C-alpha cells in the first residue's frame, strides 16, 4: 500500500515528524513558499479584482517537481504547514500546484511537535481555511502595491541611485526611529540638585551599618547650597517608621514580541537571531509554536508546570494563574511560547540552550506564587530646619517566583529616581542617628533613549502595527535598505557639581561623568530621514500610525471572514493611486539640503545634502563657473546636525602626511572608504584609523604590511595590460582593474606560466559568457 505524503515547510521539522508518524507516512519539506507574485507589472491585475499572478521561482522548480512526483505515487497527500496565515497560504499554494482540492485535502495543525500533539492532529484533520489564505494574500498584494507604486516615485523625486524602495510597515517603523532621533537632537537638558545623606546606626550585632536617606530636589544650585547651610550643626532623629507588606507578581508566559524583547535585554540577541533559534527549538520539538500573540496556556501545560514547581520547590510555590490578552486581536485558541515538556531542563545545541532556558524559566515563573516583601520607610527629621529625609529599605519575606525568574525592563521604563533598595538597620521612633555626610549632586535630565530592536518591536505592538510574523523581517528590511543602522555611540565627558556637607563644612566639588553612551541602538541614516520627510509630506495615510494599525485590523477581519479581501484592497487602492499620480506630477525633486553658512575663503555657500553616494557637504553651486568642492560626511555625522566648523574640517582631505621612501604619503576618502596613497599605489584604511588624525608613523606600517601581503598574493603581473595573476582563498585568479576573473582548474595548476595572450583570451571569454550566478544577478 502506498504511503501517505505529509508536506511541511522545513526539512528539520520533516525529520522530527517522520520519526513520530512511522512507516505509514513519508514526510517531505516544501522549503517555505513555493510560489510568489510575478515581478513584471506588479504581478497583480488591478482592474480584475486585484487578481494575483503567481509563478514558481527558478530556485523552487526542483522542489515542486519532486513533490509532484511523490504526490502521484502517494496514497493521500496531507498538508501540515504552520498554523498561521502564512502557513495556511503555503498549503493553498501546494493545493494549486499539486492539483489538490482545498475542500477535501486533509490539513492538520498543531502547536507543538510532540508525539501526542502530532497523533491528535492526524486523528482530527480539517480542510483549508480560505479566510486565513485571503488575509495573507491581501497583505502580500497590498504590500506589493505600496512597494511597486511608491518606489518609482522615490527614484524620480530624489537625486540618488535608483535603488530606493518603500514599504508599508517598514516606512512607519523608520518614521518612529526618525522622530525619536529628532526629539533627542532638539532636547535641551536641564539640571537639578538631588540631596542625599549618609547615616550610621547599629544592627542587631551592634555593628554600625551605613544607610542612605534622600531629601528634596532643587532646580538651582543656590537653593541646594542654602539647604545644606541650614543643616550645619543639625541633629537627626527618626520621626516616623512605616512597615508595609508588598507583593510582586510574575509576568505572563512569552508571546513572540515579549520573547524578542527579553532575549534582547537578557541575552543581547537581535530579533532575527531570537526567531532563528526559536524556530530551531520548535522544529526539534522543544517548544510550542513561536509565532503567537497569545498569553494563554493549555490546561495540560498548567498542570505540568504546577507539578514541576511542586516537585522542585514545594506546594507553597504553586499559584495557578490564567493570563488575559490585552490585545483584542490575539488568538486565544493559540498558546503562549512554552516548553513542550517541563521535564526537559536543557537542550543540547549550545546556541539554543540560553533561549530555551529563558522560555523554561518564564513558563515556570508564570504559575508560581507572588514574591512577598516588607517595605520599611523611615522619615528622619533635621533639627535645624524641620525638613524630613526619607530612607527606604526592602526585605524579601518569601521568594515566590523570584526563585526562578525576574523580568528585565527597557531603559525608557526605568526612572532616574529609582535606586536599588537595600536593607535598613533596625530603627526606632525618636532614635538619634549618626550623621556622616550630606551631598547635593547635580543631575541632568535625559531625552527618551533611542530604540533598540526589542523596544521598537514593543512600540510597534503598542500601536497595533504588524503581527508576530512581521517584526523580524520589518527590522531586517529597514537595516538592509540603509534607512536605519544599528550601532554603538560613544559617550562624552561632562562636568557635574557636588556640594558636600561634612564635619559642619560645605565643600564645592566638580567631578566628571560619561554621558550619552549607547550600545546596539537604531539610528536613522540621512537617507532614512529624507525619505521619511518626503513620504510624510505626500503620503500622510501610509505614514500615519493609526491608518497602518487600521489596515492591520482589516487583515484580521478578512481572516475572520467579516470582509472580502478584494473589497478591502479596492478601498485602499483608489485614494492611494490618486496620491501617487499627483505626487509624480506636482512634487519637486528632493535633495535633503541644509545650508550651513559661507566658506570664509571663497565666500561661497556651504551646503549639507544627499548626494549620489550618500550624505555629503558641498562648497559652491553647480551653476558657478568653478566646479563645486565635495566631501563625504563621517559615519557618525548627519546632515541635520553637522555644524559649519565640522563641515569645513571635512575639506582637510586629502592630507599630506610627509615622505616615506622619498615619496609623499597622502590620506583621503574615496567611494569605498578611507585610503592611503603612496608611490601611485592605494591602500585601504581599517576602521581603527581616522583619516583626519592618522600620522605618518601610523600610516607607514600599514603600507609595509599591505604591500607585503600583496606581494605574497601576487604570482605574476602584466604591467602594460594592468593584469595580475593573484592567489586567492579558492586558488589563483586574474584581476584587471577592479574586476576578478576565475581561472580553470588546469590554469590554476600552472598559474605562474600563464601567458598574456592566454590571460586576455580568458578575460574576453568570461566577459562574453559570465558565470550563471553573475548573469542572473545582472539580469535582476
Amino acid at each position: 500500500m502506498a504511503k501517505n505524503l505529509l508536506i511541511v515547510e522545513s526539512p528539520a521539522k520533516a525529520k522530527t515528524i517522520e520519526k513520530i508518524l512511522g512507516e505509514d507516512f513519508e514526510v517531505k519539506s516544501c522549503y517555505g513558499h513555493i510560489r510568489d507574485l510575478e515581478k513584471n507589472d506588479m504581478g497583480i491585475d488591478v482592474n480584475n479584482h486585484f487578481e494575483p499572478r503567481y509563478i514558481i521561482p527558478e530556485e523552487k522548480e526542483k522542489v515542486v517537481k519532486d513533490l509532484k512526483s511523490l504526490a502521484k505515487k502517494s496514497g493521500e497527500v496531507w498538508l501540515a504547514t504552520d498554523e498561521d496565515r502564512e502557513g495556511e497560504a503555503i498549503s493553498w499554494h501546494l493545493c494549486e500546484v499539486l492539483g489538490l482540492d482545498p475542500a477535501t485535502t486533509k490539513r492538520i495543525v498543531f502547536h507543538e511537535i510532540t508525539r501526542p500533539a502530532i497523533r491528535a492532529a492526524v486523528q482530527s484533520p480539517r480542510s483549508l481555511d480560505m479566510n486565513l489564505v485571503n488575509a495573507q494574500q491581501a497583505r502580500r498584494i497590498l504590500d506589493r502595491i505600496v512597494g511597486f507604486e511608491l518606489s518609482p516615485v522615490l527614484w524620480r523625486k530624489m537625486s540618488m541611485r535608483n535603488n530606493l524602495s518603500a514599504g508599508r510597515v517598514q516606512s512607519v517603523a523608520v518614521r518612529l526611529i526618525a522622530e525619536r532621533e529628532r526629539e533627542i537632537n532638539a532636547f535641551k537638558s536641564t539640571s537639578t540638585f538631588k540631596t542625599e545623606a549618609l547615616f550610621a546606626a547599629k544592627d542587631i550585632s551592634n555593628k554600625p551599618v551605613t544607610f542612605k536617606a534622600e531629601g528634596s530636589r532643587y532646580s538651582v544650585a543656590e537653593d541646594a547650597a542654602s539647604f545644606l547651610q541650614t543643616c550645619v550643626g543639625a541633629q537627626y532623629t527618626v520621626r516616623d517608621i512605616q512597615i508595609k507588606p508588598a507583593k510582586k507578581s510574575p509576568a505572563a508566559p512569552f508571546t513572540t514580541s515579549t520573547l524578542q524583547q527579553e532575549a534582547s535585554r537578557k541575552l543581547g540577541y537581535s530579533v532575527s537571531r531570537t526567531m532563528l533559534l526559536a524556530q530551531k527549538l520548535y522544529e526539534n520539538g522543544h517548544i510550542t509554536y513561536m509565532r503567537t500573540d497569545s498569553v494563554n496556556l493549555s490546561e495540560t501545560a498548567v498542570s505540568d508546570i504546577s507539578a514541576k514547581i511542586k516537585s522542585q520547590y514545594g506546594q507553597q510555590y504553586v499559584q495557578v494563574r490564567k493570563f488575559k490578552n490585552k490585545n483584542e486581536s490575539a488568538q486565544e485558541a493559540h498558546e503562549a511560547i512554552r516548553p513542550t515538556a517541563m521535564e526537559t531542563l536543557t537542550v543540547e545545541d549550545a546556541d539554543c540552550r540560553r533561549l530555551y532556558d529563558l522560555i523554561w524559566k518564564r513558563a515556570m515563573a508564570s504559575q508560581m506564587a507572588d514574591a512577598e516583601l516588607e517595605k520599611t520607610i523611615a522619615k528622619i527629621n533635621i533639627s535645624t530646619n524641620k525638613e524630613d529625609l526619607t530612607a527606604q529599605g526592602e526585605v524579601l519575606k518569601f521568594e515566590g517566583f523570584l526563585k526562578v525568574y525576574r523580568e528585565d525592563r527597557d531603559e525608557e521604563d526605568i526612572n532616574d529616581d529609582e535606586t536599588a533598595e537595600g536593607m535598613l538597620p533596625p530603627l526606632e521612633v525618636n532614635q538619634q542617628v549618626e550623621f556622616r555626610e550630606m551631598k547635593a549632586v547635580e543631575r541632568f535630565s535625559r531625552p527618551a533613549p533611542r530604540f533598540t530592536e526589542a523596544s521598537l518591536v514593543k512600540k510597534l505592538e503598542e500601536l497595533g502595527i504588524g503581527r508576530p510574523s512581521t517584526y523580524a523581517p520589518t527590522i531586517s528590511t529597514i537595516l538592509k535598505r540603509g534607512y536605519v543602522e544599528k550601532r554603538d555611540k560613544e559617550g562624552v565627558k561632562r562636568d557635574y557639581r557636588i556640594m558636600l556637607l561634612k564635619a559642619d563644612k560645605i565643600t564645592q566639588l566638580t567631578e566628571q561623568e560619561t554621558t550619552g553612551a549607547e550600545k546596539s541602538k537604531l539610528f536613522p541614516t540621512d537617507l532614512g530621514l529624507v525619505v521619511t520627510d518626503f513620504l510624510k509630506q505626500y503620503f500622510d495615510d501610509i505614514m500615519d500610525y493609526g491608518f497602518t494599525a487600521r489596515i492591520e485590523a482589516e487583515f484580521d477581519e478578512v481572516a475572520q471572514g467579516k470582509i472580502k479581501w478584494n473589497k478591502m484592497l479596492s478601498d485602499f487602492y483608489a485614494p492611494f493611486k490618486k496620491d501617487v499620480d499627483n505626487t509624480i506630477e506636482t512634487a519637486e525633486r528632493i535633495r535633503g539640503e541644509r545650508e550651513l553658512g559661507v566658506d570664509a575663503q571663497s565666500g561661497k555657500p556651504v551646503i549639507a545634502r544627499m548626494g549620489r553616494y550618500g550624505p555629503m557637504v558641498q562648497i559652491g553651486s553647480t551653476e558657478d563657473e568653478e566646479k563645486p568642492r565635495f566631501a563625504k560626511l563621517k559615519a557618525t555625522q548627519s546632515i541635520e546636525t553637522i555644524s559649519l566648523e565640522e563641515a569645513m574640517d571635512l575639506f582637510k582631505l586629502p592630507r599630506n602626511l610627509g615622505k616615506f621612501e622619498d615619496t609623499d604619503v597622502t590620506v583621503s576618502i574615496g567611494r569605498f572608504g578611507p585610503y592611503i596613497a603612496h608611490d601611485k599605489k592605494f591602500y585601504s584604511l581599517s576602521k581603527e584609523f581616522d583619516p583626519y588624525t592618522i600620522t605618518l608613523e601610523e600610516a607607514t606600517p600599514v603600507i609595509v604590511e599591505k604591500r607585503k601581503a600583496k606581494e605574497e598574493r601576487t604570482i605574476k603581473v602584466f604591467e602594460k595590460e594592468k593584469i595580475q595573476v593573484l592567489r586567492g582563498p579558492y586558488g589563483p585568479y586574474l584581476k584587471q582593474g577592479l574586476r576578478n576573473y576565475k581561472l580553470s582548474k588546469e590554469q590554476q595548476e600552472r598559474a605562474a606560466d600563464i601567458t598574456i595572450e592566454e590571460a586576455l583570451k580568458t578575460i574576453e571569454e568570461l566577459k562574453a559568457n559570465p558565470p550563471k550566478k553573475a548573469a542572473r544577478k545582472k539580469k535582476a
Side-chain angles (χ1 to χ4, degrees), residues 15 30 40 60 64 98-99 101 108 125 153 225 241 255 303 306 320 346 392 437 442 446 511 538 560 590 628 641 703:
K15 280 182 191 171
C30 65
N40 298 335
K60 285 297 174 79
V64 170
L98 302 179
D101 182 354
I108 64 166
V153 177
I241 295 172
T255 62
S303 170
S306 301
V320 172
T346 188
Q392 294 193 57
E437 64 179 43
E442 188 174 20
R446 294 183 302 172
E511 289 189 8
Y538 294 102
Q560 292 153 20
I590 289 198
T641 54
I703 296 168

Side-chain angles (χ1 to χ4, degrees), residues 2 39 67 146 245 392 407 525 581 642 661-662 714 718 755:
K39 289 275 193 290
L67 288 174
V146 171
Q392 294 193 57
E407 186 181 30
T525 60
D581 295 342
I642 192 170
E661 296 175 347
D662 297 327
T714 305
F718 302 106
T755 63

Side-chain angles (χ1 to χ4, degrees), residues 26 123 355-356 539 607 736:
E26 184 172 9
Q123 293 305 312
L355 191 68
Y356 180 79
F539 298 94
I607 296 161
Q736 186 181 46

